[in-house]
Amino acid sequence: MTDNLNHLPRVGDTGISEQVLADNFRDLHPPLTERQAIIESQRCLYCYDAPCIEACPSDIDIPRFIRQIGEGNINGAAHTILEQNILGGSCARVCPTEILCEQSCVRNHDAECQPVLIGLLQRHATDHMHFDQHPFARAADSGRHVAVVGAGPAGLACAHRLAMHGHRVTIYEAEAKPGGLNEYGIARYKMTDDFARKEVEFLLEIGGIELRYGQCLGDNLSLAQLHADHDGVFLGLGLGTSRKLGLTGEDAPGLAPATEYIKELRQASDLTQLPLARRCVVIGAGNTAIDMATQMARLGADEVTLVYRRGIDAMSATGHEQEIAKANGVRMLTWARPLQVLLNDQRRVVGMRFEKTQEQDGRLAGTGETFEVAADAVFKAIGQTFANDSLSDPLAAELERTGDKIQVDEHFRTSLPNVYAGGDCIASGQDLTVQAVQHGKLAAHAIHQDLLAKQEAA
Amino acid sequence: MNTFTDSLVNGVDLSIDFAGIKAPNPFWLASAPPTDKAYNVVRAYEAGWGGVVWKTLGEDPAAVNVSSRYSAHFGKNREVLGFNNIELITDRSLEINLREITQVKQDWPDRALIVSIMVPCEEASWKHILPLVEATGADGIELNLGCPHGMPERGMGAAVGQNPDLIEQVTRWCKQYYSKPVIVKLTPNITDIRAPAQAALRGGADAVSLINTINSITSLDLDNMVAKPTVGHQSTHGGYCGSAVKPIALNMVAEIARDTPTRNLPISGIGGVSNWRDAAEFVALGAGSVQVCTAAMLHGFRIVEEMKDGLSRWMAEKGYRSIEEFSGKAVTNTTDWKHLDMNFKTIAHIDQDKCIQCGRCYIACEDTSHQSIAQLVETSGAKRYEVIEEECVGCNLCQITCPVENCISMVPQETGRPYMSWEQDPRNPFRKAS
Ligand SMILES: Cc1cc2nc3c(=O)[nH]c(=O)nc-3n(C[C@H](O)[C@H](O)[C@H](O)COP(=O)(O)OP(=O)(O)OC[C@H]3O[C@@H](n4cnc5c(N)ncnc54)[C@H](O)[C@@H]3O)c2cc1C
Ligand SMILES: Cc1cc2nc3c(=O)[nH]c(=O)nc-3n(C[C@H](O)[C@H](O)[C@H](O)COP(=O)(O)O)c2cc1C
Ligand code: SF4
Ligand code: SF4
Ligand code: SF4
C-alpha cells in the first residue's frame, strides 16, 4: 500500500527513542482512577429526561450508568452501557463527546461551565467490568441464519443483536482482522493496547456468530449467493475508498491517502520502521486529516501543515480535535486549495502548490494568487467514498443508491428484499463509530421483526 | 470586665460566662479522645480552644477498650457524614488524670477546664470522687449520663440518663459534695429530652450539655455479614455523632430552651458542630457555649481558628458585640406546629435564566409532591420547566432538589388574610371556641 512512501526515511532515523514514541502514542485522554471516577460520577445530576441521552446516538441511559458507578456497581453500569451499545468500550474512546453527549450536559451551563466527563466514565465502567459469563444471553435458536458483510462497528453490533434474538450469524469480512476502522482507522492514541481486538473477542462470547476472513463481496463473494444462502443480509461495508484530488501526479511517490498511512500505523508493531515525512502536508478538514497530521507530528515530523480550502468554522473536525492538532504543533492553513503536485526529476513529491480561495456569493472561488509548501509527502484526507467494487455483482448492482451510498428506509431496509445496510455505507447521518453501532443494532431489530412477521404469515 | 488576653477576634469579644465558668471563647472540646490527657489538652489550648471537658473519669480500675473502635457513615465523596464509636470512658488511672488536670489548670488559668465524671449510681462513689476533682482546681464538672454503649451494661452512662429520677438524685449528690458549677450531659437516646433536663434542674444543675452520642450501626461489611467497627468477627452498636446528628441536637437544644421550667437553664450545645455557622445556630437556639468532638477528630485542633474567625466576622457584620447578645434569638421563633400561621402562603418560582433544564424539580414534584411543575418543550426541542402556581403548596421540595443555587426561590404571597393558627382555624374540628 504505502509503497508510495518507501523512498522516505524511517521514523527511527531521527534517533527518536522507542520510549518517546511509546509515550507519544499512549492514551490521549488517560483513564480515570477509581477515585476520580467516583468523584466525577457525583457531578452528574441524574437529570430527568436527560439531554445527554437525547444527544447519544446509541441511546445509552447515561444518568443510570453514572449513578451505578457512584454506587460502586461497575458491572451494572457496564451492563447499562452495553445493552444499548455493545461497542461501548470503543465509543468511550473514540466518540467526539464534545459534539454529542457532553455538549448537551446541563453542567455546561453558567453555574459550572464544565460537562460531566461522560466518555471517561463510560470508559471506566467498560474497562473495569468483570463478568464470569457474557452479560447477554442468546435467545433460543430461531433456526434462522443471517449474513453480515463487514466486521466493522455496524456489522459487529448487528451480529451481536441478532445473536441475542437467537439467530445464527456469519460475518463475511474482506480483511484478515475484525473491527473495521476500529482496527485500521482510529488514531493510535485513541485505541491503545489492542483494544479493538479484545472488544471483538468479548462481543463474540455471546456465541452463534461465525467470523470468516478474506471474504470480499464483489470479489470472492456475491450478494446473489449470500441472498440465496441466508434468511437475511446486512451490509456494513463502510467507505473503502479515499476521494481523489483530481490532479496530475496523484500517484507519484510521496502522495498517499491518509487512511492508508494510518492503517499501517495502527498495525505497526515497531513504529521506528514507519516512513517519516519530516515535512508533511495534509489536505482536508475532517477528523481523519487531524488524526493524520497529529500522528505524523508525534512520530517526529519537523513540520506538519494542514491545508483546507475553507475557513476554520467550516472544518468538520471538532474544535476539540483542532486543539489537539495545534497542541502538537500542526500548522493550519485555511482558504487554500491544491492546484498542483510539485515533483522533482525523479518524479517524487517535493511539495504542493495551492491557490488562495475566498467565498463569493456563497461559492468557493480561487483568487488567482498561489503559493507553494515544500513537503516530503502529501496526504489526502478529503473524505472517503463508497468502494463501488463491493457492489459489482448483478444483484448488488440493483441496489438503489443515494449519491454513491446505499439507500435505506427508516428500518435500514435497502431496495432489495431481505437486504439491510447500516454504518458509513448508507446515506444518512454522521460517519461516526457510535452511529454505525446504532445502525447495526436497529437493523438487527428490523431483521428480527421482519423474520417474525414472515413466520406469522407463513 | 473582660480579663482574657485573646478573646478579641476581629474586634469582637468572643468571651463567655457560662453558668459561672468563664472562657475566652465559646468553642470547647467535648469530653472524648481529643481531651484524653494533658498532651492533647495543652495542644488544644495552644491552638486556641476556649475550654475543654476532660475525657470522662471513672473509678479505678480504669476501663479497658477493645481494638477497632470507630466507623463512619460516608458520603459519596468519602466525606464523613456521621461518626460512630464503641469506646468507653478513660482507660487511664484516676490518679494520673487528676494529677494532669491540676497541672494543666495551673498552667492555663484563663481557659475553661471541666472534668467529666461517671461513677456508679451510688452516693458513696460520688462522695469519694468529687472532693478529689475539686482539689484539682478545675472550673466545674460535667456528669456523663449519656454514654450509650458499654457503660449502660454496667448500670452507668445512658442507663442513668434515661431515668429522670436517677438524674435528679446524682445531680443532687454532686451539688452536695462539690462547690463549683455542675453541668449535666444528657443522652439523646430518649423520647422527650425535656424530662431529663427538668430532672437535672430539680437536682440543682447549673447547666445541661447535649447531646451525647446516639445509638447507631453505621454500616455493614456485607461480605462477612458483620457490622462496623468489627472486633474479630463481631460488632456492637456504638454512639453516633458528627455533622449528621446536628439536626437532632439542634432540636433537643431548642426543646429545652423553650420549655418553661428550663428556659433559663444554661445549655452547652453539642452534636455535629463543624464550623462557625453550626456554632452560631446552636447559640441562636439558646446555647451559651458549644462543644466539638468529631470535627476536631477528623481535622485536628486547628479548625478552631476558622471557627473563631468566621463567627467573629459574622457577628461584626450583624452588629452583635457578644455571644450573649444573640444567644437564644431564634428561640421565640421556634414554636409548636399549632401556632403556625395557616394563612401564610409561599410559592415556588423558577428563575429561567439560571435554570439548566435538569428536570429534577419536575420529576420530584410530579412523582412525589403536588404535580405543580410543567415540563414544556420549546420548538427548539429545549425543555422549559414552569411552576403551576395554583397547584403549588409551597413545600420547598423542588428548591431542595434543584442543583443550582438561588434558581428556585420560594416567594411569599400576599394573601391579604391575617395570622390564624390551627387553633383558630375553622377547618380544625377540635377548634377552641374563642
Ligand atoms: C481515519 C479515521 C478516523 C476516524 N476517527 C473517528 C473517531 O475518532 N471517532 C468516531 O466516532 N469515528 C471516527 N471515524 C469514523 C468511524 O471509524 C466510522 O464511522 C465507523 O468505523 C463506521 O463503521 P462501519 O462498520 O460502517 O464501517 P467500517 O468501520 O469501515 O467497517 C467496514 C468493514 O467492512 C469491511 N468491508 C468493506 N468492504 C467489504 C467487502 N466488499 N466485503 C467484505 N467486507 C468488506 C471492511 O474491511 C471493514 O472491516 C474515523 C474514520 C477514519 C477513516
Ligand atoms: C470516640 C468518642 C469517645 C467519646 N467519649 C466520650 C466520653 O468519654 N464522655 C462523654 O461525655 N462523651 C463522649 N463522647 C461524646 C462526645 O463528647 C460528644 O458528645 C459527641 O461526640 C457529639 O459531638 P460531635 O458531633 O461534635 O462529635 C465521645 C465521642 C467519641 C466520638
Ligand atoms: S446531562 Fe449531565 S448531569 Fe444531566 S444526566 Fe446527563 S451527564 Fe448527568
Ligand atoms: S414547592 Fe413543592 S409543591 Fe410547590 S412546586 Fe415545589 S415541589 Fe411542587
Ligand atoms: S431543578 Fe432547577 S435547574 Fe433543574 S430544571 Fe428545575 S429549576 Fe431548572
Side-chain angles (χ1 to χ4, degrees):
Chain A
M1 68 109 207
T2 42
D3 292 344
N4 254 9
L5 304 176
N6 271 343
H7 63 288
L8 295 177
R10 303 289 116 176
V11 166
D13 296 349
T14 61
I16 191 169
S17 76
E18 287 191 34
Q19 187 54 47
V20 170
L21 277 174
D23 285 348
N24 284 353
F25 287 90
R26 229 188 277 292
D27 270 308
L28 182 64
H29 299 295
L32 300 175
T33 64
E34 188 180 341
R35 194 77 228 123
Q36 287 173 319
I38 296 281
I39 292 170
E40 190 60 20
S41 73
Q42 299 314 309
R43 295 188 58 239
C44 174
L45 296 169
Y46 195 61
C47 296
Y48 181 74
D49 264 353
C52 56
I53 305 180
E54 282 173 37
C56 171
S58 64
D59 301 332
I60 294 174
D61 191 337
I62 293 164
R64 168 150 303 149
F65 92 70
I66 295 181
R67 196 174 168 90
Q68 288 168 312
I69 291 176
E71 291 175 355
N73 180 4
I74 296 296
N75 280 354
H79 195 278
T80 301
I81 294 161
L82 299 172
E83 71 184 355
Q84 289 296 349
N85 183 333
I86 193 67
L87 278 82
S90 48
C91 287
R93 292 164 164 77
V94 310
C95 271
T97 52
E98 65 277 13
I99 58 163
L100 301 171
C101 53
E102 289 178 18
Q103 183 177 46
S104 296
C105 176
V106 303
R107 288 281 198 201
N108 283 304
H109 287 265
D110 287 356
E112 293 209 10
C113 308
Q114 168 75 23
V116 173
L117 301 175
I118 301 169
L120 283 172
L121 286 170
Q122 179 169 324
R123 172 157 181 195
H124 183 77
T126 49
D127 275 0
H128 296 279
M129 64 186 185
H130 178 79
F131 295 104
D132 292 332
Q133 267 181 344
H134 188 70
F136 302 96
R138 283 191 78 197
D141 191 86
S142 67
R144 307 294 181 142
H145 186 188
V146 180
V148 167
V149 187
L156 290 168
C158 183
H160 187 268
R161 191 54 56 128
L162 286 167
M164 281 174 74
H165 286 305
H167 308 302
R168 200 151 66 79
V169 183
T170 301
I171 306 182
Y172 300 88
E173 166 59 48
E175 296 280 351
K177 283 185 181 182
L181 290 172
N182 271 359
E183 178 63 45
Y184 294 112
I186 300 291
R188 192 171 169 122
Y189 43 68
K190 288 187 192 167
M191 281 286 220
T192 56
D193 298 328
D194 212 4
F195 183 76
R197 183 186 57 77
K198 292 180 193 158
E199 189 174 47
V200 175
E201 273 170 18
F202 162 75
L203 179 150
L204 294 177
E205 279 170 9
I206 190 167
I209 303 175
E210 186 199 355
L211 242 165
R212 292 206 203 150
Y213 302 110
Q215 306 289 311
C216 185
L217 185 65
D219 181 7
N220 57 0
L221 210 62
S222 78
L223 186 57
Q225 194 59 44
L226 289 175
H227 198 252
D229 293 349
H230 300 86
D231 298 293
V233 180
F234 174 79
L235 302 176
L237 302 169
L239 296 173
T241 306
S242 295
R243 279 213 184 88
K244 290 195 180 296
L245 297 168
L247 300 174
T248 44
E250 184 116 14
D251 301 322
L255 211 147
T259 48
E260 289 191 8
Y261 187 85
I262 293 171
K263 185 174 182 179
E264 191 163 317
L265 172 62
R266 278 295 307 274
Q267 298 303 308
S269 53
D270 181 0
L271 293 178
T272 60
Q273 293 309 309
L274 286 172
L276 175 73
R278 302 191 78 135
R279 289 170 308 169
C280 163
V281 164
V282 180
I283 300 173
N287 289 344
T288 304
I290 296 276
D291 284 355
M292 179 67 228
T294 304
Q295 293 181 103
M296 189 57 87
R298 290 191 171 206
L299 284 170
D302 300 327
E303 222 179 273
V304 181
T305 310
L306 191 146
V307 188
Y308 178 44
R309 59 195 171 132
R310 295 178 187 276
I312 289 277
D313 297 342
M315 290 179 82
S316 64
T318 66
H320 176 72
E321 298 276 344
Q322 293 177 27
E323 287 307 318
I324 293 171
K326 282 187 205 150
N328 282 278
V330 174
R331 181 166 69 122
M332 306 236 208
L333 285 182
T334 50
W335 298 111
R337 67 183 177 194
L339 207 61
Q340 192 187 353
V341 187
L342 303 176
L343 305 174
N344 65 7
D345 319 346
Q346 296 153 291
R347 291 196 47 75
R348 285 180 179 163
V349 171
V350 289
M352 193 85 190
R353 175 170 299 130
F354 295 91
E355 181 186 22
K356 291 199 174 173
T357 56
Q358 62 187 21
E359 219 163 45
Q360 273 173 0
D361 312 322
R363 302 175 106 227
L364 196 69
T367 63
E369 190 184 337
T370 67
F371 64 93
E372 291 173 8
V373 180
D376 306 320
V378 174
F379 295 93
K380 51 189 174 177
I382 54 172
Q384 299 295 108
T385 61
F386 191 71
N388 277 310
D389 296 351
S390 295
L391 302 182
S392 53
D393 73 82
L395 184 64
E398 277 179 37
L399 281 169
E400 297 270 1
R401 311 271 278 272
T402 303
D404 57 354
K405 292 188 169 189
I406 302 172
Q407 188 180 314
V408 294
D409 68 8
E410 69 271 29
H411 297 294
F412 301 89
R413 299 186 190 108
T414 67
S415 56
L416 293 174
N418 304 339
V419 179
Y420 303 75
D424 285 359
C425 69
I426 65 164
S428 62
Q430 306 150 286
D431 290 342
L432 293 175
T433 307
V434 62
Q435 178 85 73
V437 171
Q438 178 77 345
H439 287 176
K441 177 181 77 183
L442 295 180
H445 283 304
I447 293 168
H448 177 65
Q449 290 304 324
D450 291 349
L451 287 173
L452 281 182
K454 263 183 234 152
Q455 197 168 356
E456 275 163 30
Chain B
M1 36 163 276
N2 175 12
T3 55
F4 300 105
T5 49
D6 55 358
S7 67
L8 270 186
V9 183
N10 295 318
V12 174
D13 181 6
L14 291 181
S15 69
I16 56 167
D17 179 340
F18 179 82
I21 302 170
K22 295 186 174 57
N25 66 60
F27 298 105
W28 295 357
L29 283 166
S31 171
T35 63
D36 188 45
K37 51 192 176 299
Y39 180 80
N40 307 76
V41 171
V42 168
R43 283 178 67 84
Y45 284 158
E46 280 167 358
W49 291 84
V52 307
V53 184
W54 202 276
K55 173 74 182 172
T56 306
L57 309 187
E59 284 185 341
D60 286 333
V64 180
N65 277 305
V66 290
S67 179
S68 174
R69 305 175 185 181
Y70 308 147
S71 65
H73 174 41
F74 287 107
K76 287 285 174 56
N77 286 339
R78 241 193 102 76
E79 70 278 25
V80 175
L81 304 176
F83 190 80
N84 171 69
N85 84 89
I86 56 170
E87 268 180 8
L88 306 178
I89 59 174
T90 183
D91 50 16
R92 304 185 319 144
S93 78
L94 183 60
E95 193 227 316
I96 291 177
N97 274 308
L98 292 173
R99 203 187 324 131
E100 287 185 3
I101 291 167
T102 311
Q103 186 65 47
V104 170
K105 186 64 217 179
Q106 261 174 29
D107 296 345
W108 296 83
D110 72 338
R111 304 300 175 94
L113 203 174
I114 294 131
V115 179
S116 171
I117 310 174
M118 180 199 291
V119 290
C121 209
E122 288 154 17
E123 187 169 0
S125 297
W126 292 93
K127 192 176 172 180
H128 170 72
I129 199 168
L130 287 165
L132 301 176
V133 172
E134 179 115 38
T136 63
D139 303 297
I141 56 171
E142 184 181 81
L143 314 189
N144 178 350
L145 308 183
C147 182
H149 44 81
M151 303 313 294
E153 296 168 19
R154 306 174 194 179
M156 290 182 270
V160 179
Q162 286 165 339
N163 183 334
D165 292 340
L166 294 181
I167 294 174
E168 185 180 338
Q169 181 60 263
V170 172
T171 311
R172 193 159 281 138
W173 290 330
C174 290
K175 286 306 287 180
Q176 193 177 340
Y177 300 116
Y178 184 73
S179 71
K180 289 184 177 170
V182 174
I183 306 170
V184 178
K185 184 167 179 177
L186 305 180
T187 173
N189 298 306
I190 190 162
T191 29
D192 187 346
I193 197 68
R194 291 172 301 184
Q198 288 171 13
L201 183 67
R202 283 196 302 274
D206 298 282
V208 288
S209 58
L210 68 158
I211 58 174
N212 208 311
T213 55
I214 305 173
N215 285 332
S216 69
I217 290 178
T218 46
S219 56
L220 268 83
D221 171 347
L222 281 176
D223 294 328
N224 296 306
M225 284 298 168
V226 59
K228 297 176 188 177
T230 44
V231 178
H233 61 279
Q234 295 173 308
S235 187
T236 184
H237 75 79
Y240 200 44
C241 50
S243 66
V245 311
K246 185 190 91 169
I248 297 164
L250 276 178
N251 172 57
M252 291 185 165
V253 166
E255 287 292 285
I256 294 170
R258 65 192 192 86
D259 188 29
T260 312
T262 51
R263 75 163 37 124
N264 292 320
L265 187 62
I267 302 170
S268 186
I270 319 170
V273 177
S274 312
N275 52 50
W276 70 265
R277 188 176 282 276
D278 296 332
E281 290 175 2
F282 272 96
V283 172
L285 279 177
S289 74
V290 293
Q291 297 184 28
V292 178
C293 168
T294 304
M297 288 183 71
L298 294 174
H299 307 293
F301 293 142
R302 61 206 161 123
I303 56 170
V304 74
E305 271 305 317
E306 290 96 86
M307 289 176 158
K308 289 194 294 187
D309 185 65
L311 183 66
S312 56
R313 284 181 196 277
W314 171 80
M315 285 171 62
E317 215 175 280
K318 294 286 173 189
Y320 296 125
R321 282 159 306 174
S322 68
I323 299 291
E324 210 183 337
E325 258 188 46
F326 75 97
S327 177
K329 272 219 155 199
V331 175
T332 44
N333 293 333
T334 311
T335 183
D336 291 344
W337 194 96
K338 62 178 182 246
H339 300 311
L340 299 175
D341 183 2
M342 304 306 291
N343 279 335
F344 177 77
K345 189 168 167 56
T346 186
I347 279 181
H349 176 265
I350 297 175
D351 180 342
Q352 296 296 341
D353 290 337
K354 293 210 171 97
C355 174
I356 62 174
Q357 290 91 37
C358 71
R360 288 172 59 128
C361 57
Y362 167 76
I363 198 59
C365 190
E366 190 68 15
D367 277 356
T368 72
S369 196
H370 290 77
Q371 297 75 45
S372 316
I373 293 180
Q375 185 192 52
L376 311 172
V377 182
E378 297 184 332
T379 40
S380 65
K383 308 238 168 45
R384 186 183 165 89
Y385 295 94
E386 280 182 7
V387 175
I388 306 166
E389 297 195 346
E390 313 77 68
E391 301 294 331
C392 176
V393 301
C395 72
N396 296 350
L397 178 64
C398 55
Q399 191 199 33
I400 291 167
T401 195
C402 178
V404 183
E405 228 173 335
N406 303 324
C407 173
I408 299 186
S409 41
M410 302 305 297
V411 184
Q413 304 293 301
E414 193 47 69
T415 62
R417 282 173 289 169
Y419 167 88
M420 176 185 68
S421 72
W422 181 239
E423 289 175 325
Q424 302 159 330
D425 194 321
R427 293 167 295 187
N428 179 356
F430 307 106
R431 177 163 61 118
K432 288 186 191 143
S434 52

